[in-house]
PDB file of all heavy atoms in Angstrom:
ATOM      1  N   ILE A  21       1.043  -8.812   1.698  1.00  0.00           N
ATOM      2  CA  ILE A  21       0.645  -8.122   0.435  1.00  0.00           C
ATOM      3  C   ILE A  21       0.850  -6.653   0.584  1.00  0.00           C
ATOM      4  O   ILE A  21       1.370  -5.933  -0.334  1.00  0.00           O
ATOM      5  CB  ILE A  21      -0.742  -8.546  -0.006  1.00  0.00           C
ATOM      6  CG1 ILE A  21      -0.808 -10.049  -0.318  1.00  0.00           C
ATOM      7  CG2 ILE A  21      -1.268  -7.688  -1.148  1.00  0.00           C
ATOM      8  CD1 ILE A  21      -0.046 -10.487  -1.524  1.00  0.00           C
ATOM      9  N   LEU A  22       0.341  -6.104   1.691  1.00  0.00           N
ATOM     10  CA  LEU A  22       0.336  -4.656   1.902  1.00  0.00           C
ATOM     11  C   LEU A  22       1.822  -4.175   2.076  1.00  0.00           C
ATOM     12  O   LEU A  22       2.172  -3.037   1.574  1.00  0.00           O
ATOM     13  CB  LEU A  22      -0.456  -4.255   3.073  1.00  0.00           C
ATOM     14  CG  LEU A  22      -1.985  -4.475   2.835  1.00  0.00           C
ATOM     15  CD1 LEU A  22      -2.756  -4.427   4.185  1.00  0.00           C
ATOM     16  CD2 LEU A  22      -2.549  -3.377   1.879  1.00  0.00           C
ATOM     17  N   SER A  23       2.625  -4.962   2.783  1.00  0.00           N
ATOM     18  CA  SER A  23       4.041  -4.550   2.932  1.00  0.00           C
ATOM     19  C   SER A  23       4.731  -4.613   1.563  1.00  0.00           C
ATOM     20  O   SER A  23       5.612  -3.761   1.233  1.00  0.00           O
ATOM     21  CB  SER A  23       4.726  -5.570   3.847  1.00  0.00           C
ATOM     22  OG  SER A  23       4.178  -5.456   5.183  1.00  0.00           O
ATOM     23  N   LEU A  24       4.310  -5.558   0.744  1.00  0.00           N
ATOM     24  CA  LEU A  24       4.903  -5.654  -0.665  1.00  0.00           C
ATOM     25  C   LEU A  24       4.568  -4.384  -1.432  1.00  0.00           C
ATOM     26  O   LEU A  24       5.450  -3.850  -2.103  1.00  0.00           O
ATOM     27  CB  LEU A  24       4.416  -6.872  -1.363  1.00  0.00           C
ATOM     28  CG  LEU A  24       4.889  -7.086  -2.775  1.00  0.00           C
ATOM     29  CD1 LEU A  24       6.339  -7.157  -2.902  1.00  0.00           C
ATOM     30  CD2 LEU A  24       4.212  -8.401  -3.331  1.00  0.00           C
ATOM     31  N   ILE A  25       3.355  -4.022  -1.420  1.00  0.00           N
ATOM     32  CA  ILE A  25       2.895  -2.774  -2.097  1.00  0.00           C
ATOM     33  C   ILE A  25       3.741  -1.563  -1.579  1.00  0.00           C
ATOM     34  O   ILE A  25       4.190  -0.697  -2.318  1.00  0.00           O
ATOM     35  CB  ILE A  25       1.386  -2.558  -1.962  1.00  0.00           C
ATOM     36  CG1 ILE A  25       0.647  -3.628  -2.663  1.00  0.00           C
ATOM     37  CG2 ILE A  25       1.010  -1.129  -2.519  1.00  0.00           C
ATOM     38  CD1 ILE A  25      -0.883  -3.575  -2.505  1.00  0.00           C
ATOM     39  N   ASP A  26       3.904  -1.488  -0.247  1.00  0.00           N
ATOM     40  CA  ASP A  26       4.731  -0.361   0.311  1.00  0.00           C
ATOM     41  C   ASP A  26       6.102  -0.393  -0.178  1.00  0.00           C
ATOM     42  O   ASP A  26       6.689   0.657  -0.515  1.00  0.00           O
ATOM     43  CB  ASP A  26       4.643  -0.508   1.860  1.00  0.00           C
ATOM     44  CG  ASP A  26       3.328  -0.027   2.456  1.00  0.00           C
ATOM     45  OD1 ASP A  26       2.482   0.568   1.758  1.00  0.00           O
ATOM     46  OD2 ASP A  26       3.107  -0.336   3.657  1.00  0.00           O
ATOM     47  N   GLU A  27       6.681  -1.584  -0.178  1.00  0.00           N
ATOM     48  CA  GLU A  27       8.072  -1.685  -0.664  1.00  0.00           C
ATOM     49  C   GLU A  27       8.246  -1.299  -2.087  1.00  0.00           C
ATOM     50  O   GLU A  27       9.186  -0.541  -2.466  1.00  0.00           O
ATOM     51  CB  GLU A  27       8.524  -3.124  -0.446  1.00  0.00           C
ATOM     52  CG  GLU A  27       9.957  -3.439  -0.876  1.00  0.00           C
ATOM     53  CD  GLU A  27      10.302  -4.896  -0.687  1.00  0.00           C
ATOM     54  OE1 GLU A  27       9.895  -5.484   0.250  1.00  0.00           O
ATOM     55  OE2 GLU A  27      10.964  -5.430  -1.634  1.00  0.00           O
ATOM     56  N   LEU A  28       7.313  -1.745  -2.928  1.00  0.00           N
ATOM     57  CA  LEU A  28       7.397  -1.451  -4.371  1.00  0.00           C
ATOM     58  C   LEU A  28       7.174   0.070  -4.578  1.00  0.00           C
ATOM     59  O   LEU A  28       7.803   0.687  -5.473  1.00  0.00           O
ATOM     60  CB  LEU A  28       6.362  -2.233  -5.119  1.00  0.00           C
ATOM     61  CG  LEU A  28       6.550  -3.775  -5.059  1.00  0.00           C
ATOM     62  CD1 LEU A  28       5.423  -4.500  -5.714  1.00  0.00           C
ATOM     63  CD2 LEU A  28       7.922  -4.182  -5.788  1.00  0.00           C
ATOM     64  N   LYS A  29       6.308   0.705  -3.788  1.00  0.00           N
ATOM     65  CA  LYS A  29       6.083   2.079  -3.889  1.00  0.00           C
ATOM     66  C   LYS A  29       7.300   2.869  -3.508  1.00  0.00           C
ATOM     67  O   LYS A  29       7.700   3.806  -4.259  1.00  0.00           O
ATOM     68  CB  LYS A  29       4.948   2.512  -2.971  1.00  0.00           C
ATOM     69  CG  LYS A  29       4.572   3.989  -2.975  1.00  0.00           C
ATOM     70  CD  LYS A  29       3.615   4.320  -1.805  1.00  0.00           C
ATOM     71  CE  LYS A  29       4.245   4.250  -0.466  1.00  0.00           C
ATOM     72  NZ  LYS A  29       3.411   4.844   0.640  1.00  0.00           N
ATOM     73  N   ARG A  30       7.965   2.453  -2.514  1.00  0.00           N
ATOM     74  CA  ARG A  30       9.184   3.167  -2.090  1.00  0.00           C
ATOM     75  C   ARG A  30      10.267   3.010  -3.115  1.00  0.00           C
ATOM     76  O   ARG A  30      11.017   3.950  -3.411  1.00  0.00           O
ATOM     77  CB  ARG A  30       9.724   2.604  -0.737  1.00  0.00           C
ATOM     78  CG  ARG A  30       8.907   3.002   0.433  1.00  0.00           C
ATOM     79  CD  ARG A  30       9.621   2.701   1.760  1.00  0.00           C
ATOM     80  NE  ARG A  30       9.925   1.245   1.832  1.00  0.00           N
ATOM     81  CZ  ARG A  30       9.093   0.342   2.454  1.00  0.00           C
ATOM     82  NH1 ARG A  30       7.946   0.752   2.943  1.00  0.00           N
ATOM     83  NH2 ARG A  30       9.438  -0.909   2.538  1.00  0.00           N
ATOM     84  N   ASP A  31      10.392   1.864  -3.747  1.00  0.00           N
ATOM     85  CA  ASP A  31      11.471   1.538  -4.718  1.00  0.00           C
ATOM     86  C   ASP A  31      11.245   2.364  -6.015  1.00  0.00           C
ATOM     87  O   ASP A  31      12.206   2.786  -6.603  1.00  0.00           O
ATOM     88  CB  ASP A  31      11.555   0.130  -5.022  1.00  0.00           C
ATOM     89  CG  ASP A  31      12.077  -0.711  -3.863  1.00  0.00           C
ATOM     90  OD1 ASP A  31      12.603  -0.111  -2.908  1.00  0.00           O
ATOM     91  OD2 ASP A  31      11.903  -1.988  -3.840  1.00  0.00           O
ATOM     92  N   SER A  32       9.989   2.436  -6.436  1.00  0.00           N
ATOM     93  CA  SER A  32       9.721   3.013  -7.765  1.00  0.00           C
ATOM     94  C   SER A  32       9.034   4.431  -7.726  1.00  0.00           C
ATOM     95  O   SER A  32       8.911   5.060  -8.781  1.00  0.00           O
ATOM     96  CB  SER A  32       8.796   2.084  -8.557  1.00  0.00           C
ATOM     97  OG  SER A  32       7.464   1.916  -7.812  1.00  0.00           O
ATOM     98  N   GLY A  33       8.618   4.888  -6.580  1.00  0.00           N
ATOM     99  CA  GLY A  33       7.960   6.177  -6.472  1.00  0.00           C
ATOM    100  C   GLY A  33       6.544   6.207  -7.018  1.00  0.00           C
ATOM    101  O   GLY A  33       5.980   7.264  -7.295  1.00  0.00           O
ATOM    102  N   THR A  34       5.953   5.074  -7.177  1.00  0.00           N
ATOM    103  CA  THR A  34       4.582   4.977  -7.691  1.00  0.00           C
ATOM    104  C   THR A  34       3.636   5.518  -6.680  1.00  0.00           C
ATOM    105  O   THR A  34       3.748   5.381  -5.520  1.00  0.00           O
ATOM    106  CB  THR A  34       4.199   3.477  -7.930  1.00  0.00           C
ATOM    107  OG1 THR A  34       5.147   2.879  -8.864  1.00  0.00           O
ATOM    108  CG2 THR A  34       2.810   3.336  -8.464  1.00  0.00           C
ATOM    109  N   ALA A  35       2.645   6.284  -7.223  1.00  0.00           N
ATOM    110  CA  ALA A  35       1.549   6.781  -6.339  1.00  0.00           C
ATOM    111  C   ALA A  35       0.550   5.664  -6.148  1.00  0.00           C
ATOM    112  O   ALA A  35       0.232   4.952  -7.153  1.00  0.00           O
ATOM    113  CB  ALA A  35       0.877   8.025  -6.955  1.00  0.00           C
ATOM    114  N   VAL A  36      -0.015   5.519  -4.955  1.00  0.00           N
ATOM    115  CA  VAL A  36      -0.983   4.397  -4.719  1.00  0.00           C
ATOM    116  C   VAL A  36      -2.316   5.010  -4.249  1.00  0.00           C
ATOM    117  O   VAL A  36      -2.330   5.805  -3.328  1.00  0.00           O
ATOM    118  CB  VAL A  36      -0.423   3.428  -3.678  1.00  0.00           C
ATOM    119  CG1 VAL A  36      -1.517   2.342  -3.282  1.00  0.00           C
ATOM    120  CG2 VAL A  36       0.927   2.828  -4.079  1.00  0.00           C
ATOM    121  N   VAL A  37      -3.404   4.540  -4.822  1.00  0.00           N
ATOM    122  CA  VAL A  37      -4.721   4.790  -4.342  1.00  0.00           C
ATOM    123  C   VAL A  37      -5.231   3.533  -3.793  1.00  0.00           C
ATOM    124  O   VAL A  37      -5.463   2.534  -4.511  1.00  0.00           O
ATOM    125  CB  VAL A  37      -5.668   5.337  -5.455  1.00  0.00           C
ATOM    126  CG1 VAL A  37      -7.078   5.598  -4.945  1.00  0.00           C
ATOM    127  CG2 VAL A  37      -5.086   6.611  -6.066  1.00  0.00           C
ATOM    128  N   LEU A  38      -5.397   3.522  -2.467  1.00  0.00           N
ATOM    129  CA  LEU A  38      -5.820   2.283  -1.758  1.00  0.00           C
ATOM    130  C   LEU A  38      -7.289   2.346  -1.312  1.00  0.00           C
ATOM    131  O   LEU A  38      -7.652   3.159  -0.506  1.00  0.00           O
ATOM    132  CB  LEU A  38      -4.872   2.081  -0.547  1.00  0.00           C
ATOM    133  CG  LEU A  38      -5.208   0.930   0.384  1.00  0.00           C
ATOM    134  CD1 LEU A  38      -5.060  -0.407  -0.335  1.00  0.00           C
ATOM    135  CD2 LEU A  38      -4.323   0.995   1.623  1.00  0.00           C
ATOM    136  N   ILE A  39      -8.094   1.505  -1.875  1.00  0.00           N
ATOM    137  CA  ILE A  39      -9.539   1.441  -1.546  1.00  0.00           C
ATOM    138  C   ILE A  39      -9.660   0.405  -0.471  1.00  0.00           C
ATOM    139  O   ILE A  39      -9.280  -0.738  -0.644  1.00  0.00           O
ATOM    140  CB  ILE A  39     -10.395   1.063  -2.732  1.00  0.00           C
ATOM    141  CG1 ILE A  39     -10.029   1.955  -3.981  1.00  0.00           C
ATOM    142  CG2 ILE A  39     -11.863   1.164  -2.429  1.00  0.00           C
ATOM    143  CD1 ILE A  39     -10.368   3.382  -3.854  1.00  0.00           C
ATOM    144  N   THR A  40     -10.256   0.771   0.692  1.00  0.00           N
ATOM    145  CA  THR A  40     -10.391  -0.152   1.773  1.00  0.00           C
ATOM    146  C   THR A  40     -11.472   0.289   2.739  1.00  0.00           C
ATOM    147  O   THR A  40     -11.886   1.467   2.662  1.00  0.00           O
ATOM    148  CB  THR A  40      -9.035  -0.300   2.544  1.00  0.00           C
ATOM    149  OG1 THR A  40      -9.152  -1.282   3.555  1.00  0.00           O
ATOM    150  CG2 THR A  40      -8.648   1.021   3.190  1.00  0.00           C
ATOM    151  N   HIS A  41     -11.853  -0.684   3.573  1.00  0.00           N
ATOM    152  CA  HIS A  41     -12.865  -0.313   4.640  1.00  0.00           C
ATOM    153  C   HIS A  41     -12.169  -0.566   5.986  1.00  0.00           C
ATOM    154  O   HIS A  41     -12.808  -0.348   7.020  1.00  0.00           O
ATOM    155  CB  HIS A  41     -14.104  -1.152   4.526  1.00  0.00           C
ATOM    156  CG  HIS A  41     -13.862  -2.663   4.755  1.00  0.00           C
ATOM    157  ND1 HIS A  41     -13.466  -3.454   3.674  1.00  0.00           N
ATOM    158  CD2 HIS A  41     -13.805  -3.433   5.807  1.00  0.00           C
ATOM    159  CE1 HIS A  41     -13.241  -4.673   4.122  1.00  0.00           C
ATOM    160  NE2 HIS A  41     -13.448  -4.712   5.404  1.00  0.00           N
ATOM    161  N   ASP A  42     -10.910  -0.999   5.962  1.00  0.00           N
ATOM    162  CA  ASP A  42     -10.151  -1.420   7.146  1.00  0.00           C
ATOM    163  C   ASP A  42      -9.328  -0.240   7.661  1.00  0.00           C
ATOM    164  O   ASP A  42      -8.316   0.003   7.046  1.00  0.00           O
ATOM    165  CB  ASP A  42      -9.372  -2.663   6.763  1.00  0.00           C
ATOM    166  CG  ASP A  42      -8.718  -3.326   8.000  1.00  0.00           C
ATOM    167  OD1 ASP A  42      -8.536  -2.621   9.025  1.00  0.00           O
ATOM    168  OD2 ASP A  42      -8.472  -4.540   8.017  1.00  0.00           O
ATOM    169  N   LEU A  43      -9.726   0.307   8.749  1.00  0.00           N
ATOM    170  CA  LEU A  43      -8.949   1.434   9.283  1.00  0.00           C
ATOM    171  C   LEU A  43      -7.620   0.997   9.878  1.00  0.00           C
ATOM    172  O   LEU A  43      -6.680   1.777   9.989  1.00  0.00           O
ATOM    173  CB  LEU A  43      -9.830   2.184  10.364  1.00  0.00           C
ATOM    174  CG  LEU A  43     -11.002   2.881   9.796  1.00  0.00           C
ATOM    175  CD1 LEU A  43     -11.837   3.568  10.944  1.00  0.00           C
ATOM    176  CD2 LEU A  43     -10.624   3.899   8.760  1.00  0.00           C
ATOM    177  N   GLY A  44      -7.521  -0.292  10.272  1.00  0.00           N
ATOM    178  CA  GLY A  44      -6.180  -0.771  10.677  1.00  0.00           C
ATOM    179  C   GLY A  44      -5.257  -0.771   9.535  1.00  0.00           C
ATOM    180  O   GLY A  44      -4.041  -0.376   9.711  1.00  0.00           O
ATOM    181  N   VAL A  45      -5.679  -1.116   8.374  1.00  0.00           N
ATOM    182  CA  VAL A  45      -4.826  -1.029   7.153  1.00  0.00           C
ATOM    183  C   VAL A  45      -4.477   0.461   6.913  1.00  0.00           C
ATOM    184  O   VAL A  45      -3.266   0.709   6.568  1.00  0.00           O
ATOM    185  CB  VAL A  45      -5.532  -1.662   5.952  1.00  0.00           C
ATOM    186  CG1 VAL A  45      -4.871  -1.346   4.648  1.00  0.00           C
ATOM    187  CG2 VAL A  45      -5.653  -3.170   6.148  1.00  0.00           C
ATOM    188  N   VAL A  46      -5.472   1.316   7.028  1.00  0.00           N
ATOM    189  CA  VAL A  46      -5.239   2.761   6.772  1.00  0.00           C
ATOM    190  C   VAL A  46      -4.107   3.231   7.700  1.00  0.00           C
ATOM    191  O   VAL A  46      -3.198   3.936   7.251  1.00  0.00           O
ATOM    192  CB  VAL A  46      -6.490   3.509   6.968  1.00  0.00           C
ATOM    193  CG1 VAL A  46      -6.224   5.042   6.942  1.00  0.00           C
ATOM    194  CG2 VAL A  46      -7.493   3.170   5.853  1.00  0.00           C
TER     195      VAL A  46
END
């Protein structure tokens, strides 16, 4: 899921605000 969000962000230039408690994800 996170890789998909990254891919879509790269393709479209969308800005992402990611709310998380997982520093590994960060």
Side-chain angles (χ1 to χ4, degrees):
I21 294 296
L22 291 166
S23 294
L24 175 60
I25 293 173
D26 285 346
E27 179 184 320
L28 298 172
K29 178 189 72 170
R30 287 192 301 269
D31 291 346
S32 61
T34 301
V36 177
V37 179
L38 176 63
I39 310 296
T40 184
H41 64 274
D42 189 332
L43 293 178
V45 167
V46 170

